[in-house]
Amino acid sequence: DQQVKQNSPSLSVQEGRISILNCDYTNSMFDYFLWYKKYPAEGPTFLISISSIKDKNEDGRFTVFLNKSAKHLSLHIVPSQPGDSAVYFCAASPSGTYKYIFGTGTRLKVLA
Amino acid sequence: EAGVAQSPRYKIIEKRQSVAFWCNPISGHATLYWYQQILGQGPKLLIQFQNNGVVDDSQLPKDRFSAERLKGVDSTLKIQPAKLEDSAVYLCASSPPRGVGTEAFFGQGTRLTVV
């Protein structure tokens, strides 16, 4: 039972353009959502998060949008840079648990 | 600030052998997690500790996997006996006390190959 889904295994974007990574979830008890970035042979690195009481959080080039009614969140990267090429994981935490449930990841390739 | 330390980085064993992984979390982090990441999949939570107590081990295959966190700091994860399907990257993560922050910080992982 995959509670956090990333339906696009890969995405290619030109340098300077916008990258949009999507994530869907099924559990309405999730109240905190995170995005992690992972380079080969390294552990995931925290990127940005959003609480369920918000619908948008921005940090520099990275913006996360949350649509609770659709149980959907997205990560926007503008402008995309070659160094952004990595696997991006969406994660969600059920209320009060501090437990993180991960999606399967989307491999982003930013073309120079 | 030092990150989450894990060792070894790589391990190759034969099936039915045993193996142990070690994790040292970030100083002051009360919560420690062990995740299993199989190739092409997202990290799957195996066990979550709060200090030295287990919060969630519902997805830990307890017939072969065990984990402990002594004195609420370092942790070890053991597999005995290993199966071919245990080949994966084992990630340790830690997170700050509740109310201070909510993201988990990951180590580099241990890549286990069972042959």
Side-chain angles (χ1 to χ4, degrees), chain A residues 32 36 41 43 97-100 103, chain B residues 9 33 35 42 48 56 102 104 107:
Chain A
Y32 195 72
Y36 280 82
T97 67
Y98 289 82
K99 179 168 81 170
Y100 305 95
Chain B
R9 285 296 311 275
Y33 313 82
Y35 281 84
Q48 177 185 355
D56 186 335
T102 48

Side-chain angles (χ1 to χ4, degrees), chain B residues 77-106:
Chain B
L77 176 69
K78 296 179 183 176
I79 308 175
Q80 182 180 9
K83 292 185 175 181
L84 295 176
E85 58 259 36
D86 297 332
S87 294
V89 175
Y90 290 85
L91 294 161
C92 179
S94 67
S95 62
R98 299 176 187 199
V100 175
T102 48
E103 66 266 23
F105 296 81
F106 283 83

Side-chain angles (χ1 to χ4, degrees), chain B residues 41-60:
Chain B
Q41 299 182 19
K44 181 181 97 172
L45 179 66
L46 293 176
I47 189 166
Q48 177 185 355
F49 291 95
Q50 179 72 21
N51 296 310
N52 59 348
V54 175
V55 174
D56 186 335
D57 64 357
S58 57
Q59 298 205 80
L60 187 74

Side-chain angles (χ1 to χ4, degrees), chain A residues 30-48:
Chain A
F30 291 150
D31 69 349
Y32 195 72
F33 304 87
L34 310 90
W35 284 94
Y36 280 82
K37 179 165 81 170
K38 187 180 182 305
Y39 293 118
E42 294 184 14
T45 303
F46 170 73
L47 197 55
I48 192 169

